Amino acid sequence: MNIGEIARRAGVSRSTVSYALSGKRPVSEDTRRKIQQVVDELGYQPSASARALANGRTSTIGLVFPPAGNHYTGMQLDFIGSVVEAAAAYDYDVLLSPSGMDSDRSFQRLLGERRVDGAILMEIRLEDDRADHLAALGFPSVAIGRTAHPEDGWYVGLDHTALAAACVHHLADLGHRRVAFVNRPEQLLRTGYESAHRGLDGFTKAAAERGLTVRTYCCGDDAAAGQACVERILHDDPATTALVTLNEAALGGLYRGLAHAGRHVPRDFSITGIVANRWAETVTPQLTAADVPAAEMGRLAVDLLVERLDHSDAPPRQHLLIPPISLRASTGPAGRPPTDTTA
């Protein structure tokens, strides 16, 4: 079924049908009602491609996220779901593009074929060629995170520097003096992932301010890597009594590693970090953490992108979130670590 058939049955011209459906030009109420009756009888739905050709909009936004490797973290999945839900409220579809670099074919198709009206970029790096490329093209986009020079960009981000520092101060206030930092995988640190770098910066500066003895570790995004990381921490410095983590995917392994080492949480060892709340609440004891508001971030990113699409001359806007630390059961006063009875 097409506009020509609707025009024939309604006894009007094709252009009149087009104007009535698009609202680009006024038509009489009687004519509009007659056309709508035919549309309803036929169950006609204008094609997305036809609408895009007519008004230059696809009613679709792109969500550009990095290739998963072995899997996506819970935080990433929460964010993706929230973007899809928020976009639907604006009557936008979401096209997922697992793209890593601006030379990636999926990313180039997204832009070259104008499949989307705008894009949301996940997992921002301090020097991010995707963000630079979109800015150079004048293509509407919103970043999840901040580049090294975010002043002129549209973004929604977490202040990982402040949050990691808050975790350190919380542990120091409890009397912990020897603290480890469990970061994301080494390859992400090497490629400049903003959250990994800014979290590390906040941790080291706050630890120096409080005079703590610290070690930092990169850790794979899985439980087995988390358990192995705890083994390294306790091997390198058995007197360590606490850790801060950015790696929620390794969280279960961190707990398991401490249990295998005979460290009771929080009596012998405290854990805190930056983690989505539903993951912080799945471990036992529940994790004291700066809860990542993934759903809120997805909603804010869609709000900003729709605003940018509707008002192309609007000045850049940003949301930098600093959620408070939610005190749960994984942190407590520093105690003396268990002595090694195997010697």
Side-chain angles (χ1 to χ4, degrees):
M1 193 56 57
N2 55 40
I3 286 180
E5 181 62 17
I6 295 171
R8 187 184 68 79
R9 296 195 184 199
V12 298
S13 68
R14 289 171 59 96
S15 60
T16 300
V17 174
S18 178
Y19 296 149
L21 295 178
S22 67
K24 284 192 170 183
R25 293 188 184 180
V27 297
S28 70
E29 183 60 27
D30 287 344
T31 300
R32 189 201 63 77
R33 189 180 299 113
K34 186 188 304 181
I35 292 170
Q36 188 62 51
Q37 182 178 349
V38 174
V39 167
D40 292 343
E41 289 173 356
L42 298 177
Y44 172 77
Q45 290 288 337
S47 72
S49 58
R51 289 199 306 269
L53 286 173
N55 61 22
R57 298 279 283 267
T58 66
S59 295
T60 303
I61 61 177
L63 179 58
V64 182
F65 55 96
N70 295 327
H71 65 281
Y72 291 109
T73 69
M75 194 184 304
Q76 289 172 326
L77 293 175
D78 286 347
F79 179 79
I80 291 170
S82 71
V83 166
V84 172
E85 184 176 341
Y90 285 105
D91 203 24
Y92 273 87
D93 296 323
V94 178
L95 179 62
L96 303 181
S97 175
S99 305
M101 306 286 283
D102 72 351
S103 58
D104 185 279
R105 290 182 179 179
S106 176
F107 187 63
Q108 288 300 321
R109 285 197 300 271
L110 200 71
L111 302 179
E113 299 176 16
R114 202 70 183 194
R115 295 183 176 187
V116 297
D117 299 325
I120 296 173
L121 302 180
M122 290 178 61
E123 304 290 2
I124 289 294
R125 298 184 293 272
L126 291 174
E127 302 295 336
D128 200 299
D129 47 14
R130 300 168 305 164
D132 293 342
H133 189 55
L134 292 179
L137 292 175
F139 191 86
S141 67
V142 172
I144 304 304
R146 296 172 293 156
T147 64
H149 305 286
E151 299 82 9
D152 297 328
W154 293 68
Y155 68 80
V156 177
L158 284 179
D159 192 337
H160 285 88
T161 304
L163 293 177
C167 290
V168 170
H169 290 305
H170 171 63
L171 293 174
D173 289 344
L174 290 170
H176 294 277
R177 308 304 301 165
R178 308 181 81 87
V179 180
F181 181 67
V182 179
N183 207 334
R184 300 290 303 283
E186 183 178 356
Q187 68 184 63
L188 300 187
L189 200 63
R190 285 200 311 266
T191 55
Y193 266 50
E194 179 252 347
S195 58
H197 277 270
R198 287 200 165 104
L200 176 60
D201 186 53
F203 174 85
T204 54
K205 288 181 178 178
E209 180 182 332
R210 300 300 293 265
L212 306 185
T213 298
V214 299
R215 293 176 183 267
T216 63
Y217 298 82
C218 289
C219 178
D221 285 337
D222 58 73
Q227 183 171 347
C229 189
V230 165
E231 292 173 359
R232 293 200 308 275
I233 290 169
L234 297 180
H235 174 270
D236 293 344
D237 184 3
T240 302
T241 61
L243 68 80
V244 176
T245 184
L246 297 184
N247 195 324
E248 70 171 23
L251 189 58
L254 297 176
Y255 272 71
R256 191 164 65 213
L258 290 168
H260 283 187
R263 301 292 178 96
H264 181 275
V265 178
R267 185 187 65 213
D268 307 318
F269 201 100
S270 290
I271 306 180
T272 185
I274 304 170
V275 175
N277 66 334
R278 74 183 184 95
W279 300 101
E281 294 172 353
T282 60
V283 291
T284 304
Q286 292 186 356
L287 185 73
T288 292
D291 296 336
V292 176
E296 180 185 1
M297 293 178 71
R299 184 173 63 255
L300 289 172
V302 172
D303 289 345
L304 286 186
L305 185 56
V306 171
E307 178 183 342
R308 188 170 186 184
L309 291 172
D310 291 343
H311 306 282
S312 58
D313 58 346
R317 293 218 299 122
Q318 302 97 16
H319 293 288
L320 185 60
L321 308 180
I322 311 177
I325 291 181
S326 296
L327 298 177
R328 297 188 179 94
S330 68
T331 54
R336 295 180 61 185
T339 57
D340 187 351
T341 59
T342 63

